[in-house]
């Protein structure tokens, strides 16, 4: 298949938090140890069980789950392209209109008041006392 990296299957490290290696799950502290053969066999059994179950589950469920996620993200993309983005454009256009209306109302109501206050305050003269 083109474009699929079969060696590095998590190039964006989406699942770097999943620690499922033997050393990440099991460990014997200092002072207490099992027999070396038990530890080696435990390692082999752990990896065999983990790998067999993972491969079985991905074989039985992986394709269906991948298909469902593909459908889900296809729906999300469709919603964004055909619904959300045009709605946001419509909203922005409406906000531009409201901004003009609000500016006109403020200009009509506040401009005369500000002009009158400006005329009143323009007659005030401030003198400093020369200390």
């Amino acid at each position: 298949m083109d474009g699929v990296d079969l060696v590095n299957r998590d190039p964006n490290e989406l699942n770097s938090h999943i620690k499922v290696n033997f050393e990440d799950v099991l460990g014997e502290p200092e002072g207490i140890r099992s027999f070396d053969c038990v530890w080696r066999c435990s390692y082999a059994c752990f990896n065999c069980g983990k790998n067999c179950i993972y491969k079985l589950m991905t074989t039985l469920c992986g394709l269906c789950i991948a298909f469902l996620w593909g459908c889900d993200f296809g729906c999300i993309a469709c919603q964004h392209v055909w619904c959300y983005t045009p709605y946001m454009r419509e909203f922005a256009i409406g906000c531009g209109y409201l901004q003009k209306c609000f500016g006109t109302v403020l200009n009509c109501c506040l401009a005369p008041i500000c002009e009158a206050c400006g005329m009143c305050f323009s007659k005030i003269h401030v003198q400093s006392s020369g200390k």
Side-chain angles (χ1 to χ4, degrees), residues 11-90:
N12 297 325
E13 298 183 8
L14 299 173
N15 294 306
S16 61
H17 63 284
I18 299 175
K19 306 289 185 192
V20 293
N21 289 328
F22 182 78
E23 298 82 8
D24 297 325
V25 177
L26 296 172
E28 290 182 330
E30 288 295 324
I32 186 161
R33 300 287 173 141
S34 60
F35 293 113
D36 289 344
C37 65
V38 171
W39 193 247
R40 278 192 295 275
C41 289
S42 298
Y43 177 82
C45 290
F46 177 88
N47 285 322
C48 180
K50 175 186 72 167
N51 292 334
C52 287
I53 290 298
Y54 184 77
K55 289 177 181 173
L56 176 68
M57 290 182 67
T58 55
T59 301
L60 296 176
C61 306
L63 298 175
C64 295
I65 292 171
F67 178 76
L68 291 174
W69 278 117
C71 291
D72 186 49
F73 281 101
C75 289
I76 289 171
C78 182
Q79 288 173 331
H80 278 265
V81 169
W82 295 101
C83 298
Y84 300 152
T85 301
Y87 175 74
M88 290 304 295
R89 174 61 61 200
E90 178 188 30

Side-chain angles (χ1 to χ4, degrees), residues 99-122:
Q99 183 180 16
K100 287 182 182 180
C101 289
F102 188 66
T104 302
V105 168
L106 286 177
N107 197 26
C108 291
C109 295
L110 289 180
I113 295 171
C114 290
E115 277 185 42
C117 288
M119 290 179 77
C120 290
F121 293 132
S122 70

